[in-house]
Amino acid sequence: MRPAIKRGVSLYSYQEEYFLRKMTLEDCIAAAAAAGATGIEVVGEQMFPGFPRLSEAFLEQWFGWMEQYGVEPVAHDMMLDLEPYKGRYLTLDEQLASVLRDLHFARQLGCKVVRVIVNASPELMERAIPYAEEMDIKLGIEVHSPWHLHSAWMTRHLEVMEKTGTKHFGFIPDGGAFTRRLPRVAVERMIREGADEKIAAFVCEQHEKGVLAEYIIAEVEQMSNRPIDRALAMMTRHNVFSNPRSIEQFEGRIVHVHGKCYEMLEDSLDGRPYEYSIPYDEIVAALKNIGFDGYICTEYEGNRHIQDIMEVNSVEQVRRHQRMLEQLIG
Amino acid sequence: MFEKYMIVPEEARNVTENGRVTGFQFGARLPYYRGVGLSLVEDIQVKIDGEPVAPENLTVTVHGNTYTLEEMARTFEDRWEMGEVALITIRREGGLPPGEHTIDLLLNLRISYLPFPAIRKATKTIKIP
């Protein structure tokens, strides 16, 4: 039987409601389960006050929720603050201690994957791998736009994977590196903040055609000297489109996937919800082609673009993304 | 992102110590999707009715613990949690006259994965009872 891709939700998706204390951690878990997810991803520094400390009582509660809502812990997203001490960066040893702190946190919560933030260096990963192997937790560097799987930084990380031959370090592609169209909600927000509509239309069209971001930015700099118009042009650099089929070149090295979404629309012509800017049909097809059997976790991030004009409904956006994945995975 | 939630006017009030009004305070949230160790708060700047507040007259209270900006820079264990309403207190003899006042708030965080300073600004009207 073909291995099936599993569906999870990153609780990052509910950041708006959690921030405003409209949802608790338990509410977020319940919403993810109600959307049909079987896995939970967390950002430790987001919804776990007192991070990285976890009390016995809390852990009992946590595993109680997992059982009650029929879900399992999947991944913890680690951050790496290189500058807690003003005026100097952490040494490599101090950075390693930070990663070990997160590995330990993930293990306590029962997560088998640690999402490594993109600013972690290949040298640091090489140092961390033996600990991840020992703890049987997979480290995955997040391939987050504007990086993509073939970026120089990711190639350096790939060299570490190849050199060590480890099964405990790989990639976590983020849907945001496959933005065929610029997120509409983000463009509209910039127009509300004063960006020129004609320039916005030009930038969107050029991005969709696949024109290099640096060229779009250079052209817009000729058209306008207003910072907001130039910022809009720079969106093409930060919302990169790379070919979803590039995933197929990394068979065995994809440990987890971030199902980034900015705007989930209810129905397309074939009757399933779809993401306005990211071709999830192609992403899921590529993952199936290499027999990926890990988790895709929904990561809704559209709230920041609409919170100025409407109440954010992350629960509904996640529900649509999960329904889309369910249909695409089959 | 989250700028509109930075200033929490519901927490605005004058502060009384030993029967004397020694300043005023208002609520503030970090405009960020996670909590951070206090040393990562690079700077907090406040203007009241357009007039800048001297940094030494400003303290921040998170879940009952109060810090000056200098103390925050040396605090690695305590955190300003995501969405947590901290209290920013400004020392000012006599506080503010009752009524409406304009607050400008700037928060600067050292976020290592961003190649530029994370400076966020907000302006709101508060009402001193």
Side-chain angles (χ1 to χ4, degrees), chain A residues 170-181:
Chain A
F171 291 115
I172 301 184
D174 179 286
F178 307 101
T179 47
R180 196 186 280 288
R181 298 202 279 187

Side-chain angles (χ1 to χ4, degrees), chain A residues 48-61:
Chain A
F48 298 78
F51 174 89
R53 291 181 297 277
L54 293 165
S55 71
E56 291 287 328
F58 174 82
L59 286 169
E60 195 176 319
Q61 174 77 268

